Amino acid sequence: MGRRSTHTPEELRELILRAARDIIERGGLSGLSAREVARRIGYSPGTLYNIFENLDDLVLHVEGRLLEELEQELTALPREESAEALLRRLARTYLAYTHRQPKLWNLLFEHHLPPSRPVPAWYQQRIEALLTRIEEALAPIMGDRDAAALKRSARVLWAGVHGITSLSTTDKLSTITTEAAQLLVDDLVSTYILGLSQRPAAAPLATSPHAALEAGELRDESSST
Amino acid sequence: MGRRSTHTPEELRELILRAARDIIERGGLSGLSAREVARRIGYSPGTLYNIFENLDDLVLHVEGRLLEELEQELTALPREESAEALLRRLARTYLAYTHRQPKLWNLLFEHHLPPSRPVPAWYQQRIEALLTRIEEALAPIMGDRDAAALKRSARVLWAGVHGITSLSTTDKLSTITTEAAQLLVDDLVSTYILGLSQRPAAAPLATSPHAALEAGELRDESSST
DNA sequence: ACCTGAACACCGTTCAAGT
DNA sequence: ACCTGAACACCGTTCAAGT
């Protein structure tokens, strides 16, 4: 017993993260256990708890790495001719990344912290960073619409692409192949952008045809429930 | 030991499903265990295995009930003035259902079967039934576009709404409130439908402006990777 | 200072034995 | 025929004890 110090704390951290990632990539989150990680790296289970708070904390850091990697891929994308082409490329890159390691990516959505402790700030920031990539790509299309609309559209697209990848990697959309999923992603991006381009740009929002339509429908909604 | 027959097999099945549902509703999938279910209903753990194959099978049947309930809600919806209003109502109903019991609904997406055994047919059919509700609502808008386009759009909308609800219930979209999620869902449905309405209806597809556009873009894509 | 490993309180699943 | 409960092979997490 006692110390071994064959690895620095940083090395140990790396070893643990890599082992955990490997286990999840092969067998999903349910295949992961602290004891299994310990076995793989040749340390006792207790050692993990010197470095990570608990298993949730460890998993959260594996997720963080994934978000980081994806963001790098999105950032490294070549220039495109049009804003629409760029958005489509972003969506496809996301899709390709998730299909390259489906179980790992699913981690982001099947792992939940106990409601007692909220998602840490650094994690939220990584997601915000990805959303910012989309907002940047979307801005030229949105023209002078207000910032709230831009944020909203970025989130709609992100969530939509996520929904497609999530349902297709877990085979709950009868989609199965990556090609089929890509068709859906392309359809979403093209059609949504086409819809956006039809919307009135900024202007007195309250009096635009579309705002009036929405207000009317909302009244409908509350009166009939 | 030995039999007790204070409950018929059907009653026992009900007891188990209800206990499991209750546990998941409170503590999520990770809170569920066969032993805990057994404790709650006052039977031994082994009893569950007379009725369900294993814990995955039990969970799958809880999911089946959820899909069934949602479908009933969607089917019972009142008539709407327009196809768009109906689609929006469908999306909101979905959202409301999932936010009413978020942990339970998340079950559908955090629970994965081992890849060895695929999703059973009855489960796939429940999902197809829900997609059919959307296709019916969407058909008037799509006009005489081909059936494949209808199926595709229904799936895009379903996945999109799912993505929004999934990310908002797990707080990974910085959305938090149901109202915020509803804004996103409304935006998705309205904008996507607006986009659809701009597309050429059927006609000689290969020569329509849009088809030409897409073909061009696809060529672009493959040449630049 | 760092790591161990036993200990505690749990799991899913099986199956001989009981009624 | 139905149900039990002990048994097996696992868990996450803690913490006194060792080096």
Side-chain angles (χ1 to χ4, degrees):
Chain A
M1 325 113 218
R3 80 151 84 203
R4 300 202 311 195
S5 71
T6 44
H7 296 287
T8 68
E10 294 75 33
E11 284 170 338
L12 209 40
R13 202 186 155 83
E14 266 313 297
L15 280 174
I16 293 170
L17 281 173
R18 273 212 271 270
R21 179 169 177 153
D22 197 57
I23 292 167
I24 296 167
E25 195 161 2
R26 289 182 209 281
L29 179 57
S30 64
L32 182 73
S33 78
R35 296 176 114 107
E36 177 62 21
V37 171
R39 249 174 253 129
R40 289 216 190 189
I41 65 171
Y43 279 77
S44 84
T47 299
L48 303 208
Y49 293 83
N50 295 327
I51 299 197
F52 294 99
E53 223 177 300
N54 51 38
L55 207 57
D56 275 332
D57 184 37
L58 166 53
V59 169
L60 224 40
H61 280 89
V62 173
E63 294 180 57
R65 295 276 244 253
L66 297 178
L67 291 170
E68 201 176 354
E69 281 178 22
L70 176 58
E71 205 213 328
Q72 279 173 5
E73 284 203 25
L74 295 188
T75 303
L77 249 33
R79 303 215 163 281
E80 296 285 344
E81 293 190 350
S82 68
E84 174 163 358
L86 175 57
L87 275 169
R88 200 190 300 251
R89 171 84 73 170
L90 285 171
R92 286 187 176 189
T93 304
Y94 178 120
L95 185 69
Y97 182 81
T98 64
H99 278 247
R100 220 178 294 142
Q101 35 195 1
K103 289 193 192 133
L104 213 36
W105 187 255
N106 255 294
L107 182 58
L108 287 185
F109 305 103
E110 63 184 295
H111 177 241
H112 303 305
L113 292 173
S116 44
R117 268 169 323 165
V119 179
W122 61 261
Y123 188 102
Q124 281 286 3
Q125 279 160 15
R126 286 217 188 291
I127 290 183
E128 292 292 333
L130 284 165
L131 284 169
T132 301
R133 295 282 85 72
I134 302 174
E135 288 175 21
E136 288 165 358
L138 203 50
I141 291 173
M142 302 284 291
D144 49 354
R145 208 92 41 92
D146 60 88
L150 178 60
K151 274 189 166 314
R152 188 163 1 107
S153 288
R155 274 154 187 76
V156 167
L157 283 175
W158 166 266
V161 174
H162 158 56
I164 293 167
T165 62
S166 159
L167 290 173
S168 73
T169 58
T170 60
D171 191 18
K172 277 177 176 165
L173 201 63
S174 337
T175 328
I176 307 172
T177 65
T178 303
E179 293 72 38
Q182 189 169 106
L183 265 180
L184 295 182
V185 165
D186 283 348
D187 180 300
L188 168 66
V189 173
S190 308
T191 308
Y192 185 85
I193 287 178
L194 193 56
L196 274 184
S197 69
Q198 294 308 117
R199 292 237 164 142
L205 261 180
T207 63
S208 81
H210 178 261
L213 188 78
E214 266 201 340
E217 281 179 7
L218 282 170
R219 235 179 288 118
D220 251 16
E221 179 75 21
S222 56
S223 66
S224 56
T225 30
Chain B
M1 348 188 155
R3 84 150 83 204
R4 300 204 310 199
S5 71
T6 43
H7 295 288
T8 68
E10 294 76 33
E11 283 170 338
L12 210 39
R13 203 186 153 82
E14 266 313 296
L15 280 175
I16 293 170
L17 282 173
R18 272 210 270 271
R21 177 169 179 152
D22 197 56
I23 292 167
I24 296 167
E25 195 162 1
R26 288 181 210 281
L29 179 57
S30 64
L32 182 73
S33 78
R35 296 177 116 107
E36 176 62 22
V37 171
R39 250 174 252 128
R40 288 215 190 190
I41 64 172
Y43 280 76
S44 84
T47 300
L48 302 208
Y49 294 83
N50 295 328
I51 299 197
F52 293 98
E53 224 177 299
N54 51 38
L55 207 57
D56 274 332
D57 185 37
L58 166 53
V59 170
L60 224 42
H61 280 88
V62 173
E63 294 180 54
R65 294 275 245 253
L66 297 179
L67 291 170
E68 200 176 353
E69 280 178 22
L70 175 58
E71 205 213 328
Q72 279 173 5
E73 284 203 24
L74 295 188
T75 304
L77 249 35
R79 303 215 163 282
E80 296 284 344
E81 293 192 350
S82 69
E84 174 164 356
L86 175 57
L87 275 169
R88 199 190 301 249
R89 171 85 74 170
L90 285 171
R92 286 187 176 190
T93 304
Y94 179 118
L95 185 69
Y97 182 81
T98 64
H99 278 247
R100 220 178 294 142
Q101 34 195 2
K103 290 194 191 133
L104 212 38
W105 186 253
N106 254 295
L107 182 59
L108 287 184
F109 306 105
E110 62 184 297
H111 177 241
H112 302 305
L113 292 173
S116 44
R117 268 171 324 169
V119 179
W122 61 261
Y123 187 102
Q124 280 286 4
Q125 279 161 15
R126 287 217 188 289
I127 289 183
E128 292 292 333
L130 284 165
L131 284 169
T132 301
R133 294 283 85 73
I134 302 174
E135 287 175 22
E136 288 166 359
L138 203 50
I141 290 172
M142 302 284 291
D144 49 355
R145 208 91 41 91
D146 61 85
L150 178 60
K151 272 189 166 316
R152 192 166 355 108
S153 288
R155 274 154 187 75
V156 167
L157 284 175
W158 166 267
V161 174
H162 159 57
I164 292 167
T165 61
S166 159
L167 290 173
S168 74
T169 57
T170 60
D171 190 18
K172 277 175 177 167
L173 201 62
S174 337
T175 327
I176 308 171
T177 64
T178 304
E179 292 72 36
Q182 190 168 106
L183 265 180
L184 295 182
V185 164
D186 283 347
D187 180 299
L188 168 67
V189 173
S190 309
T191 308
Y192 185 85
I193 287 177
L194 193 56
L196 274 184
S197 70
Q198 295 308 116
R199 295 237 162 143
L205 262 181
T207 63
S208 82
H210 178 260
L213 188 78
E214 264 200 338
E217 281 179 6
L218 283 169
R219 235 181 286 118
D220 250 17
E221 181 74 23
S222 56
S223 67
S224 55
T225 30

